């Protein structure tokens, strides 16, 4: 029904289903093994909902030891494993397959230790992203990476995807805030990598595992860097007549030596849809809008906003409004962070995630409009402007296969345009199945083979999340020799 | 003298590596050689130098990005950045004060050793700023990872893997970094006379404030000079003034804080970065130990007489320790205690004979070591690149 091919399930594994389930039940007691069709349905897709596959079974271990036993068992039996956090991947990263067991970390969701003096926390990876910040907020600390899905998504998924958020212009993405992991291999080995001491010598396995999309092993615990909250923060809205002027303003702010905590871009359609939903007070009569947030004491914020305001004025901002109260600030962010949800109320959409050199923004936006006009589709652009991470939302109708096919094609063309100008296919959502077949546009055969060799070093038989990241044809182990 | 080859381009690097791999003859990889004292002394008949791969290839201040070929002097890139009001946030560490010598550190060496300075505690390490690499692997193939955009999760993060790999995977030929604006000004708060425990506690307290401390070091008292606990602020003039006042107030229970102005602050942090000015004779062996800050003073106390001089950076989490260069430079006693403190230790300076006989880097647990070996094998199946530099093979 949909464009992305998925491998045919292995009948030999399907035939052994009862045996495999019995094996899992011997390792994880009670409700930790999910087998009924009804309950498995909750795991058949992630946030790329156009694709669904019913897994063989779902296992939810409660401890690292159980996870190790399960992985060793499945590795021995040659059964594919799909690691899963909350299933909010937009790239189909957590999509099951019929001959695979989903291994979820949902039952491991505790904050294990908070160490304010050393500014670290130790968590089980099933904890939600927001759960980490919530556990330390009363101490005046927070965990910086803030994906819009932070209420639901887990640290496990964040690590696997190296997730970002609106505030990573200043604070970095997951990999810059991750100090250590407990990593379980398919052999059932439990390996401590990193910890609360910085920069361990040896190859940077921590950096390699972060962003490996569940293809190397299962991460059950993590040590995270936490930060003291700023004295205050205040967003300001700027409206511009055109995307070009907004883009030029972003470049000028960064070029002037100011790095705000966040610079978010929305176009007209995105503004309208978010404003209808969140009543954030966004200007309706502009062609593009920036949300710029700065931090510090009240005086510091005033000073920075004055500098930024002057630059925006020079670049033709037609509208400027600061949040005057915490409630107004919250409303401004609510509008932005609920953008995907708000969009979902008015239409089905696919969310693209390319990154471009910010200087090419006007050119790329023109190209996106062209691509979508030609396909007869509407597009709303939301964009982490400071770091060039674009989220064009291509609207389509789920009940119309032709419209989905067109949207997928338009999405592909948009990503290829990002690669062409020196950017990349995905800035924070990951490759998953969604961008798997485009990898040859970004990488040479030699480069892909080298990445595949790295996967083989962790997982020689390609059992972990096997259908993701690399095009299905021409794969290892063929190139292993 | 070994035979040195200095190709002008990646094709030349590929050819040299291919020849070495085919003949299974090891080669050493070198930038300018300013960090040659780091790691285990590796043996090879041939040296491959990147010194002729030079030049800044991309500088886009409004996108906070700079690229340079591997042999470009770090100082040249820093000068280019300074010209546009930017800098490397990680404050490149320079090994020359430790080893002596005139060789000008290169970008390739900076990346291969992940050599970060005091601002690492606030702004991250080289590996955090590095957003793209080109590298010729031990298979004599040139690959790219990352790119020129700061948000990129397309494919595995081989950028991180290359950073700090000490030439075990390939020859880095070009690197791209995220840059940051240079601060308008800086100042340092100085509290005198604290012992190690209170000094590190003051640093941790400072790091826990919202005032964005960008350097946090404790220099123990020496030769009549009182101990100095130092916290650096960098920002716009007004912010530095305001924050210095607030920070001093928050730290009052540790003692009154003096304030160093921008010039004095810069001079102090150059010394802290170099570490050597506080560590006595260059004939001593030198360890770089990383642990959680609050565990650091206890570790130093337990090491006792082994410690001839020491210095805390990174809020206490980085301890420089000078030991006698005799025997195993203290490794036998030091390593178990560091492990107990859940830290890791690198022997940064010691005579070749000492470094040849022991693990210079913290030994990895067996399962992790097996993973590492698998990755090295995936990049350099013939095992010809810097053999033995990182680990005894
Ligand atoms: C409305 C919405 C907004 C979003 N906004 C953002 C955003 O702002 N920034 C952003 O970066 N992303 C965003 N995302 C994408 C998504 O939330 C992130 O990719 C998130 O990190 C996924 O977390 P999860 O727990 O849902 O993981 P899942 O979707 O369950 O899994 C994601 C990947 O992680 C792997 N995995 C899961 N657990 C483990 C484990 N224990 N060990 C190893 N691998 C594992 C899976 O196999 C899969 O490949 C958004 C998604 C939605 C639906």
């Amino acid at each position: 029904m949909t464009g992305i091919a998925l491998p045919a399930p292995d009948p030999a594994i399907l035939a052994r289903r009862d045996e495999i389930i019995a094996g899992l039940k011997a390792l994880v007691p009670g409700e930790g093994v999910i087998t009924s069709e009804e309950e498995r349905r909750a795991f058949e897709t992630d946030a790329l909902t156009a694709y669904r596959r019913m897994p063989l079974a779902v296992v939810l271990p409660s401890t690292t030891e159980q996870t190790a036993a399960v992985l060793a068992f499945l590795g021995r039996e040659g059964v594919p494993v799909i690691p899963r956090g909350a299933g909010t991947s937009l790239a189909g990263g957590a999509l099951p397959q019929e001959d695979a067991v989903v291994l979820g970390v949902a039952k491991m969701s505790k904050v294990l230790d908070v160490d304010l003096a050393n500014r670290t926390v130790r968590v089980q990876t099933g904890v939600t992203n927001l759960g980490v910040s919530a556990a330390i907020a009363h101490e005046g600390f927070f965990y910086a990476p803030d994906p819009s899905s932070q209420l639901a998504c887990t640290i496990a998924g964040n690590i696997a995807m190296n997730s970002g958020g609106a505030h990573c212009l200043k604070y970095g993405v997951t990999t810059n805030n991750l100090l250590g992991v407990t990593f379980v291999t398919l052999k059932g080995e439990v390996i401590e990598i990193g910890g609360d001491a910085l920069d361990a010598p040896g190859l940077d396995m921590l950096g390699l595992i972060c962003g490996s999309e569940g293809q190397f092993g299962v991460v059950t615990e993590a040590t995270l860097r936490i930060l003291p909250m700023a004295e205050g923060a205040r967003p300001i809205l700027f409206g511009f007549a055109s995307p070009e002027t907004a883009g030029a303003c972003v470049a000028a702010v960064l070029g002037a030596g100011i790095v705000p905590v966040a610079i978010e871009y929305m176009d007209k359609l995105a503004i309208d849809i978010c404003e209808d939903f969140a009543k954030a007070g966004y200007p309706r009569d502009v062609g593009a809008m920036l949300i710029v947030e700065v931090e510090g004491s009240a005086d510091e914020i005033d000073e920075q906003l004055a500098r930024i305001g002057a630059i925006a004025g020079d670049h033709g901002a037609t509208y400027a409004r600061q949040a005057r109260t915490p409630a107004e600030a919250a409303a401004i962010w609510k509008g932005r962070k609920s953008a995907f949800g708000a969009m979902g109320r008015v239409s089905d959409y696919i969310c693209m995630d390319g990154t471009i050199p910010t200087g090419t923004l006007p050119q790329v936006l023109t190209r996106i409009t062209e691509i979508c006009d030609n396909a007869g589709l509407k597009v709303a652009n939301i964009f982490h402007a400071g770091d060039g991470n674009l989220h064009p939302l291509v609207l389509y109708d789920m009940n119309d296969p032709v419209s989905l096919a067109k949207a997928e094609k338009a999405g592909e063309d948009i990503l290829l345009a990002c690669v062409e100008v020196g950017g990349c296919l995905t800035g924070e959502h990951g490759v998953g199945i969604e961008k798997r077949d485009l990898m040859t546009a970004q990488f040479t055969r030699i480069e892909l083979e080298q990445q595949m060799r790295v996967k083989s070093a962790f997982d020689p038989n390609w059992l972990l999340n096997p259908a993701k990241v690399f095009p299905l044809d021409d794969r290892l182990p063929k190139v292993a020799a | 003298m070994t035979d040195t080859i200095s190709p002008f381009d990646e094709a030349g690097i590929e050819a040299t590596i291919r020849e070495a791999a085919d003949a299974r003859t090891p080669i050493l990889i070198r930038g300018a050689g300013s960090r040659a004292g780091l790691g285990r002394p590796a043996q090879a008949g041939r040296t491959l130098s990147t010194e002729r791969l030079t030049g800044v290839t991309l500088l886009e201040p409004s996108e906070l990005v700079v690229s340079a070929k591997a042999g470009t002097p770090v100082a040249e890139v820093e000068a280019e950045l300074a010209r546009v009001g930017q800098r490397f946030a990680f404050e490149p560490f320079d090994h020359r004060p430790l080893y002596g010598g005139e060789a000008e550190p290169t970008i390739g060496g900076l990346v291969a050793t992940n050599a970060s300075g005091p601002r690492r505690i606030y702004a991250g390490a080289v590996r955090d700023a590095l957003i793209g690499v080109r590298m010729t692997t031990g298979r004599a193939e040139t690959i790219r990872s990352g790119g020129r955009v700061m948000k990129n999760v397309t494919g595995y993060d081989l950028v991180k893997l290359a950073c700090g790999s000490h030439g075990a995977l390939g020859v880095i030929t070009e690197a791209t970094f995220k840059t940051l604006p240079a601060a308008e000004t800086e100042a340092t708060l100085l509290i005198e006379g604290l012992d190690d425990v209170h000094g590190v506690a003051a640093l941790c307290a400072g790091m826990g404030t919202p005032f964005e401390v960008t350097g946090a070091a404790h220099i123990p008292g020496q030769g009549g000079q009182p101990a100095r606990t130092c916290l650096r602020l960098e920002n716009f003039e007004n912010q530095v003034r305001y924050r210095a006042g607030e920070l001093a107030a928050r730290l009052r229970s540790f003692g009154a804080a003096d304030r160093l102005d921008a010039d004095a602050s810069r001079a102090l942090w150059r010394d802290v970065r170099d570490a050597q000015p506080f560590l006595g004779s260059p004939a001593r062996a030198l360890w770089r130990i990383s642990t959680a800050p609050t565990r650091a003073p206890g570790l130093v106390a337990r090491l006792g007489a082994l410690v001839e001089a020491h210095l805390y950076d990174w809020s206490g989490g980085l301890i420089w320790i000078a030991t006698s260069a005799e025997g195993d430079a203290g490794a036998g006693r030091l390593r178990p205690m560091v492990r107990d403190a859940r830290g890791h230790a690198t022997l940064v300076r010691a005579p070749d004979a000492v470094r040849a006989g022991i693990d210079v880097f913290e030994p990895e647990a067996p399962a992790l070591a097996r993973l590492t070996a698998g990755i090295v094998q995936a990049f350099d199946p013939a095992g010809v690149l810097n053999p033995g530099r990182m680990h005894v093979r």
Side-chain angles (χ1 to χ4, degrees), chain B residues 88-356:
Chain B
F88 287 132
F90 53 82
E91 209 170 356
F93 184 80
D94 185 342
H95 282 78
R96 284 174 298 182
L98 303 186
Y99 303 143
E102 301 291 307
E104 201 49 53
T106 64
I107 288 295
L110 179 71
V111 171
T113 58
N114 190 25
S116 322
R119 205 180 295 110
R120 190 270 174 262
I121 189 63
Y122 169 74
V126 180
R127 56 93 82 179
D128 294 292
L130 192 68
I131 57 176
V133 289
R134 292 181 68 91
M135 168 163 83
T136 307
T137 67
R139 315 176 78 94
E141 295 170 340
T142 302
I143 59 169
R144 301 157 304 157
S145 182
R148 60 174 284 190
V149 291
M150 60 175 103
K151 255 169 96 188
N152 184 349
V153 296
T154 321
Y156 301 144
D157 196 345
L158 305 187
V159 175
K160 297 281 181 307
L161 198 57
C163 193
S165 63
H166 291 270
L169 307 177
V171 176
I172 293 154
T173 58
E174 188 173 346
T176 302
F177 303 85
K178 173 184 176 180
T179 63
L180 278 182
E184 186 173 274
T185 190
E186 67 175 88
T188 292
L189 291 186
L190 210 65
I191 304 175
E192 286 193 346
L194 298 180
D195 63 17
D196 288 13
V197 171
H198 289 89
V200 170
L203 299 179
C204 290
M207 292 303 301
T209 68
F211 305 115
E212 302 182 297
V213 173
T214 69
H218 177 75
I219 307 162
Q222 270 182 332
Q225 241 225 352
R228 285 175 288 167
T229 305
C230 322
L231 298 103
R232 177 174 64 185
L233 297 168
E234 297 174 286
N235 222 308
F236 293 107
E237 178 84 45
N238 286 343
Q239 286 189 305
V240 167
R241 190 176 323 111
Y242 163 75
R243 291 178 174 201
E246 293 292 308
L247 184 59
R250 298 269 189 110
L251 297 178
R252 191 142 299 144
S253 64
F254 293 97
D258 281 339
R259 191 181 149 174
L260 300 184
D261 66 12
D263 287 339
S265 174
R266 273 187 206 107
L268 173 73
W269 288 98
R270 198 169 312 123
D271 284 352
V272 171
R273 184 195 68 171
D274 293 349
Q276 182 57 41
F278 306 108
L279 297 170
S281 161
R284 285 170 170 164
L286 208 55
W287 291 88
R288 202 168 182 267
I289 298 175
S290 187
T291 182
T294 55
R295 293 197 295 272
L299 173 61
V300 171
R302 277 191 300 284
L303 290 171
L306 208 59
V307 181
E308 298 194 349
H310 70 295
L311 165 72
Y312 301 90
D313 195 358
W314 297 359
S315 188
L318 171 64
I319 325 168
W320 291 96
I321 290 182
T323 64
S324 158
E326 302 289 303
D328 67 353
R333 284 177 53 207
L334 181 141
R335 287 224 178 272
M337 291 191 205
V338 169
R339 258 196 307 280
D340 282 349
R342 280 174 284 143
H344 43 78
T346 302
L347 179 56
V348 182
R349 184 178 65 205
D352 280 4
V354 176
R355 286 183 298 122

